Amino acid sequence: MKRIFLVFVPLLFLASACTEDLASLNVETKKPAAIPAPTLFSNAVKSLAGNLATASVNTNVFRFTTSQWAMAVYQDEAQYDFQTRAIPNTWWNAMYRDVLADLRESSRLINADASLLPKEKANKLAILDIMEVYTFGILVNSFGNIPYTEALNAEKLFPKYDDAKTVSADLITRLNADIAKLDASAAGFTSSEDVVYKGSVSKWVKFANTLRMKLGMIVADENATAAKSAVEASDAGAIAASTDNGLFTYLSASPNQNPLHVDIVLGGRQDYIAAKDLMDKLAGWNDPRKTAYFSTNNAGNYAGGIVGKVNTYVDFSRAGAKVIAADAPYVLADYVETEFLRAEAKERGFNVAGTAEQHYNNAITASILYWGGTAAEAAAYLAQPEVAYTTAAGNWKQKIGTQKWIALYNRSYETWTELRRLDYPVITAPVNAKSGFPTRLTYPNTEQTLNGTSYTAAAAAIGGDVVTTKLFWDKN
């Protein structure tokens, strides 16, 4: 009997140990049960920058749409075919699912965090809302009417689409409130959590003012009063130097490298080349940015290809080393853009400091310096009759629009918005274009099948779900 007992006791311990070991297998050690609010914030900004920076033909084809890049082989996207690869679906999902959902959840967690001091909580919530406004601005100015008031609500499986004009006005209202809440004397996100300004609340104030100025100016041809109010309220507080630039900085090591580096350098893609429209301007005006924007072709010359036409890759310039560097930052907002907005504001008669010519010169100079040029090169460039504000061809829209198109190189979504808004420069239509110049993206196919009632109403409200339907602010 003693022997049986002695055998039985070890078996009990073994069974107990096995039970504990098996239970431990259910504990997630690599996937956290809850994601911290700051992580959601930084991940949302990374997703946003990544989609704006990439040149993936499945996601972001605006470099071709704006005639800054051409393609060597595959021409569908360059010819305004956005449906074969379902580009509108990817763009829509990237903004709603990958950016806005994370920002909204981060806000919920911060709101519920009783350990935060009131001013710190207010700063964090305002910064998150600023980035929500930034992202909704991209959506409303890409598609028109969009899900907004019912978006990101798990109880609204079939969200209604809100009127684009109403959404645009509300985005500015939100920025008004966010700017008022930001307190530079209090903490915000820490330097490691804030991937744009490293914890500087004062620079977020400048970022928000520049964003308000931009969103106001977008509607200027449709509602000059609203634009004037937004721009004048923002001028003094907006980005005032290159040190205020809002950058998402990539790293030299994987997995946080610039998407262009991953695609073109690591992926060895030999398809993207300079477009003739942009190269002609750079070369014709001796633009010092030419050597940074592009490399030479295999013969050592600078040359641009025809958009929409098969081009021999080795015969044309490709994206420059600075553009495709692993750690090349993506610009979310900067001094260049802000100065062009100020120049335009003066021409529209808005009450901002300085003159249109001063702001125009400041913008171009800052762009040249950013890309590695010198102040002397900027002065020489501006002295050319074709570039100088008083002698450059056309009205102010043509002067500012053309130079902004050049300066916004590699910020292709912004370039597309400015082309639609200012209508300059006049770019060459792609060979075998599937439509006229795209003034919006069509709604995702998934919306037609999964949210059909709301989709049908939205398509009718904007005047038809086609790429050439103009958004409410696109008056020319």
Side-chain angles (χ1 to χ4, degrees), residues 346-361:
K346 291 300 295 186
E347 289 290 4
R348 290 184 181 273
F350 299 170
N351 184 24
V352 300
T355 68
E357 183 176 4
Q358 287 171 343
H359 293 305
Y360 172 91
N361 290 346

Side-chain angles (χ1 to χ4, degrees), residues 43 45 56 58 80 101 128-129 131 151 173 208 245 253-254 275 292 310 322 326 374 376 384 389 416 430 455 461:
N43 190 66
V45 178
S56 168
N58 297 303
Y80 305 155
L128 286 164
D129 195 61
M131 292 312 299
T173 299
N245 291 352
S254 180
V310 173
K322 188 166 184 175
T374 66
Q384 298 176 96
Y389 198 69
W416 179 48
Y455 159 78

Side-chain angles (χ1 to χ4, degrees), residues 107-432:
S107 295
R108 186 189 70 79
L109 292 172
I110 287 173
N111 234 336
D113 188 348
S115 69
L116 293 174
L117 295 173
K119 289 185 177 181
E120 179 184 352
K121 179 179 285 190
N123 279 341
K124 289 181 175 180
L125 290 173
I127 290 168
L128 286 164
D129 195 61
I130 289 163
M131 292 312 299
E132 272 204 30
V133 168
Y134 192 109
T135 309
F136 271 121
I138 291 171
L139 283 165
V140 75
N141 293 319
S142 294
F143 294 98
N145 292 10
I146 55 169
Y148 180 66
T149 54
E150 294 184 355
L152 309 172
N153 186 340
E155 296 180 359
K156 299 289 185 180
L157 298 181
F158 310 105
K160 70 174 183 178
Y161 285 55
D162 293 277
D163 172 66
K165 183 175 179 179
T166 303
V167 173
S168 296
D170 190 62
L171 294 178
I172 293 174
T173 299
R174 287 170 66 172
L175 284 175
N176 294 340
D178 292 333
I179 292 167
K181 291 174 185 174
L182 287 170
D183 185 344
S185 70
F189 289 101
T190 67
S191 60
S192 61
E193 296 165 350
D194 181 353
V195 292
V196 179
Y197 283 123
K198 309 304 179 187
S200 174
V201 175
S202 62
K203 289 191 176 182
W204 275 108
V205 174
K206 295 179 181 181
F207 181 96
N209 273 288
T210 285
L211 179 57
R212 180 169 60 177
M213 184 181 288
K214 177 168 67 175
L215 294 180
M217 198 68 84
I218 286 174
V219 303
D221 284 339
E222 192 276 334
N223 189 339
T225 301
K228 184 176 187 293
S229 176
V231 170
E232 291 181 353
S234 304
D235 177 36
I239 291 173
S242 295
T243 51
D244 300 331
N245 291 352
L247 308 177
F248 182 87
T249 303
Y250 288 96
L251 305 178
S252 57
S254 180
N256 295 308
Q257 297 170 315
N258 187 293
L260 294 182
H261 178 81
V262 174
D263 197 20
I264 296 174
V265 178
L266 300 183
R269 189 174 184 112
Q270 297 187 351
D271 194 24
Y272 304 146
I273 60 174
K276 187 176 186 300
D277 278 0
L278 179 55
M279 185 57 73
D280 283 354
K281 288 283 193 295
L282 296 173
W285 292 341
N286 301 306
D287 196 314
R289 292 165 291 191
K290 179 183 68 178
T291 56
Y293 283 8
F294 296 107
S295 66
T296 58
N297 62 14
N298 282 21
N301 301 315
Y302 288 93
I306 303 296
V307 180
K309 173 183 175 294
V310 173
N311 297 280
T312 303
Y313 182 74
V314 297
D315 291 344
F316 298 99
S317 298
R318 281 84 78 176
K322 188 166 184 175
V323 177
I324 58 176
D327 59 353
Y330 184 79
V331 178
L332 293 167
D334 70 349
Y335 179 57
V336 175
E337 177 184 23
T338 311
E339 281 296 276
F340 275 124
L341 289 170
R342 289 181 171 120
E344 180 180 344
K346 291 300 295 186
E347 289 290 4
R348 290 184 181 273
F350 299 170
N351 184 24
V352 300
T355 68
E357 183 176 4
Q358 287 171 343
H359 293 305
Y360 172 91
N361 290 346
N362 289 344
I364 294 170
T365 300
S367 176
I368 290 171
L369 293 176
Y370 176 84
W371 287 99
T374 66
E377 288 174 328
Y381 179 74
L382 285 164
Q384 298 176 96
E386 299 87 350
V387 177
Y389 198 69
T390 55
T391 55
N395 59 17
W396 67 263
K397 281 194 172 185
Q398 182 172 345
K399 298 177 194 211
I400 293 173
T402 300
Q403 287 298 327
K404 197 170 187 181
W405 174 73
I406 296 171
L408 286 176
Y409 173 71
N410 211 36
R411 295 182 64 193
S412 56
Y413 167 77
E414 304 293 353
T415 309
W416 179 48
T417 300
E418 296 306 299
L419 269 180
R420 291 178 290 160
R421 196 173 67 78
L422 296 174
D423 301 299
Y424 286 102
V426 177
I427 60 174
T428 306
V431 173
N432 296 322

